[in-house]
Amino acid sequence: MSTPVINQLTIIGVGLIGGSLARALRRANAVTTLVGAGRNADQLAIARKLGVVDRTETDLAKACAGADVVVLAVPLGAMRAVLEQIAPTLSPDTIITDVGSAKGSVVSDAGQIFNGLPARFVPGHPIAGTEQSGVEASFAELFDQRRVILTPEAATDPAAVTTVCQLWEACGAQVMTMAVAHHDAVLAATSHLPHVLAYTLVDSLARQDDSREIFDYAAGGFRDFTRIASSDPQMWHDICAANREPLVAALQHFIRDLEQLTRAIEQADSDAIKQTFERAKQARDAFCNK
Amino acid sequence: MSTPVINQLTIIGVGLIGGSLARALRRANAVTTLVGAGRNADQLAIARKLGVVDRTETDLAKACAGADVVVLAVPLGAMRAVLEQIAPTLSPDTIITDVGSAKGSVVSDAGQIFNGLPARFVPGHPIAGTEQSGVEASFAELFDQRRVILTPEAATDPAAVTTVCQLWEACGAQVMTMAVAHHDAVLAATSHLPHVLAYTLVDSLARQDDSREIFDYAAGGFRDFTRIASSDPQMWHDICAANREPLVAALQHFIRDLEQLTRAIEQADSDAIKQTFERAKQARDAFCNK
Ligand SMILES: NC(=O)c1ccc[n+]([C@@H]2O[C@H](COP(=O)([O-])OP(=O)(O)OC[C@H]3O[C@@H](n4cnc5c(N)ncnc54)[C@H](OP(=O)(O)O)[C@@H]3O)[C@@H](O)[C@H]2O)c1
Ligand SMILES: NC(=O)c1ccc[n+]([C@@H]2O[C@H](COP(=O)([O-])OP(=O)(O)OC[C@H]3O[C@@H](n4cnc5c(N)ncnc54)[C@H](OP(=O)(O)O)[C@@H]3O)[C@@H](O)[C@H]2O)c1
């Protein structure tokens, strides 16, 4: 698809994802004016100084005035408040999209505030990130060859979907669409569950008496395994809250499987242990050699 | 400590760890003759061709004849059989050590075969590895600045401990000693538990109906988190079997903590979720910035 000519694009929340999106759009020359908005003027000044956006605003409604596209890139727990601030004055022509890691909660927030999901609201989620946060950690290449999932509804304006799709493609991403509930279940399994496991493991060890020593003897595998436990606690709290039901289901499924393997180890059931490990290695090697 | 002059050192099991040890000892010029032993002549020929060892033997007893030091670097499940093969002809002057990832099982195997742990048997474990196996994956730098834990008993010959310690130091490692049970509990928590979690997660997802799609949407965090699930299934089966009790205890502890966090998510207990994530991030960042 060719790069669209967007006159003004407003990003609310110029952090890791919002900042990277701005940088990638600029790299692609896809937008004439990039407006950055948020609640913190100092942080926004940094974004301006880094050249990530052209103009900044702490008044969110003002930031959206004249925008062709508004991107919500705030934590999931802030989506509702942000939507409440912009809804009253938002032009019906403006396309809205978001980058939230769970989609059901954003769709529900927007539906309540706008009295039904607006036709020009295209929920989205880039499957890309690091364990860093903030605009200083943002970079234009974050979305290169990464996937972005859009979850439009039947009533969503196809032209709005096309524009959002083109914007992400201009950022180097591959775009696909999916139903909201399916997105939330898949992401609960592949992303939210691993984060919860990594956080729980590190916290569980840290609370043990000999925790200092325990970490002293942790090797390279542990460092990789727990990297995601260095992610932003607030953001991950918000994801757990926003995607509660699918995540709890994924956790319960995992706990059942882990209890079964624990029993196999307890009972020295070598076949069960080996089969689990072999299937896992095969799946992981196949996944990584794609 | 100065590098010892070892005339002959025999490594039984010239795989990732045994091969890396041989390469590191050669780099340090710490041994005159390196003998590699194993059950597979073809694999041993590769080790010889790669220059990892000077001489190879498939007759383990022969391989140990004349050795000042014998290093057991076979999987934990093979330790007993190997000890049975070498015990009858082993000189009482020969120092034996091993690299097994669990220590209780090796000490118990050796105790049974030798009728008590020999005074010159120094159990050991290098906290270093990759998810690869085999001599082709071995490299001299594997132990650089990594820790090696020795678990000698009160009756272990101090001179033997010193020699083993010097050999590892010549390989670039830092050596410390610990009680067997303590080693096994610490490693269950920091290494064996994470491996079991990674294997269980990947297998659990792979067995779900939409597994192909699930892996399609897995991002970078998932790749790091599951890297250790690409480790050798046989080796990790052996570790689970050898370190059963401490590992099951660590698993049960973890499951309890995970159930508690699952409940907190279910009940939207924001404080509990945030506290867990914050403590974990703090501990992980501290561990990694050391
Ligand atoms: N990081 C990832 O790996 C990743 C991946 C995919 C999607 N996402 C999603 O992307 C979104 C942003 O995540 P991020 O990693 O970019 O986080 P981040 O780096 O912390 O950025 C969040 C931004 O939102 C602003 N903000 C927070 N609360 C706000 C409020 N109430 N009103 C206005 N602005 C507010 C923050 O600025 P101030 O705090 O200075 O106001 C900051 O600029 C989240 O919804 C997350 O689920 C993240
Ligand atoms: N990999 C790690 O991350 C790591 C870290 C610390 C400690 N360790 C410990 O190091 C030891 C070796 O692990 P590794 O990773 O080096 O495994 P590896 O690469 O698979 O090497 C194992 C070696 O032992 C040989 N072997 C297997 N069964 C044998 C038997 N019955 N008799 C004689 N030789 C036999 C194998 O050769 P053939 O199969 O060709 O006979 C191979 O050369 C294990 O005890 C493990 O717990 C591993």
Side-chain angles (χ1 to χ4, degrees), chain A:
Chain A
M1 283 188 184
S2 67
T3 303
V5 184
I6 298 287
N7 193 33
Q8 182 188 323
L9 184 138
T10 296
I11 297 176
I12 305 182
V14 193
L16 171 68
I17 300 295
S20 297
L21 175 60
R23 289 181 194 267
L25 289 171
R26 177 146 357 249
R27 180 185 67 172
N29 228 335
V31 172
T32 311
T33 306
L34 278 161
V35 178
R39 49 181 186 173
N40 185 329
D42 294 346
Q43 281 300 309
L44 290 172
I46 296 176
R48 227 172 35 236
K49 220 156 93 189
L50 291 172
V52 172
V53 291
D54 300 304
R55 189 152 78 65
T56 58
E57 280 287 356
T58 51
D59 180 327
L60 305 189
K62 254 199 209 158
C64 295
D68 302 296
V69 179
V70 171
V71 182
L72 312 176
V74 297
L76 283 166
M79 291 285 182
R80 200 190 165 92
V82 165
L83 285 165
E84 273 166 350
Q85 287 171 68
I86 65 171
T89 57
L90 202 69
S91 153
D93 292 336
T94 304
I95 295 171
I96 323 174
T97 186
D98 77 296
V99 301
S101 306
K103 302 274 41 84
S105 70
V106 179
V107 168
S108 146
D109 286 343
Q112 280 169 40
I113 288 159
F114 288 98
N115 219 341
L117 192 71
R120 313 209 77 190
F121 195 122
V122 184
H125 176 207
I127 313 291
T130 71
E131 73 278 14
Q132 311 285 309
S133 324
V135 70
E136 291 96 333
S138 68
F139 55 103
E141 299 75 23
L142 180 58
F143 310 111
D144 281 351
Q145 284 158 305
R146 308 307 290 272
R147 289 165 194 250
V148 172
I149 301 174
L150 304 182
T151 62
E153 307 211 313
T156 308
D157 175 5
V161 176
T162 301
T163 300
V164 174
C165 185
Q166 287 172 327
L167 283 170
W168 281 116
E169 286 176 352
C171 294
Q174 261 187 302
V175 182
M176 39 263 302
T177 60
M178 211 184 261
V180 167
H182 190 53
H183 168 279
D184 286 357
V186 168
L187 271 289
T190 55
S191 171
H192 311 169
L193 172 59
H195 277 82
V196 170
L197 296 181
Y199 277 129
T200 304
L201 177 69
V202 176
D203 180 48
S204 182
L205 299 185
R207 283 188 293 121
Q208 285 171 33
D209 292 340
D210 47 356
S211 70
R212 253 239 313 273
E213 199 190 356
I214 284 182
F215 289 115
D216 268 358
Y217 293 102
F222 186 80
R223 189 175 284 253
D224 280 349
F225 185 78
T226 59
R227 172 157 302 119
I228 52 183
S230 285
S231 302
D232 182 38
Q234 180 65 48
M235 168 175 150
W236 281 95
H237 160 271
D238 285 9
I239 292 175
C240 292
N243 205 27
R244 183 168 69 227
E245 277 176 43
L247 176 55
V248 167
L251 274 159
Q252 285 167 344
H253 188 129
F254 176 82
I255 289 172
R256 272 196 305 278
D257 285 351
L258 187 61
E259 280 170 339
Q260 206 175 319
L261 186 62
T262 303
R263 268 194 305 277
I265 295 172
E266 217 169 355
Q267 295 165 0
D269 182 346
S270 285
D271 289 345
I273 301 170
K274 265 190 274 190
Q275 278 160 22
T276 302
F277 292 1
E278 276 160 12
R279 276 192 311 252
K281 178 178 169 59
Q282 217 162 41
R284 204 268 165 189
D285 288 350
F287 152 71
C288 283
N289 292 331
K290 267 188 330 201

Side-chain angles (χ1 to χ4, degrees), chain B residues 12-20 37-44 58 60 72-79 81-82 85 98-103 106 124-135 137 142-143 191 195 231-232 235-236 238-239:
Chain B
I12 304 182
V14 192
L16 171 68
I17 300 296
S20 297
R39 49 180 186 175
N40 185 328
D42 293 347
Q43 281 300 309
L44 290 172
T58 50
L60 306 189
L72 311 177
V74 297
L76 282 166
M79 290 286 183
V82 166
Q85 287 171 66
D98 77 296
V99 301
S101 305
K103 302 271 47 84
V106 178
H125 175 207
I127 313 292
T130 72
E131 72 277 16
Q132 313 284 311
S133 324
V135 70
L142 180 58
F143 310 110
S191 170
H195 276 81
S231 302
D232 182 40
M235 169 174 150
W236 281 94
D238 285 8
I239 291 174

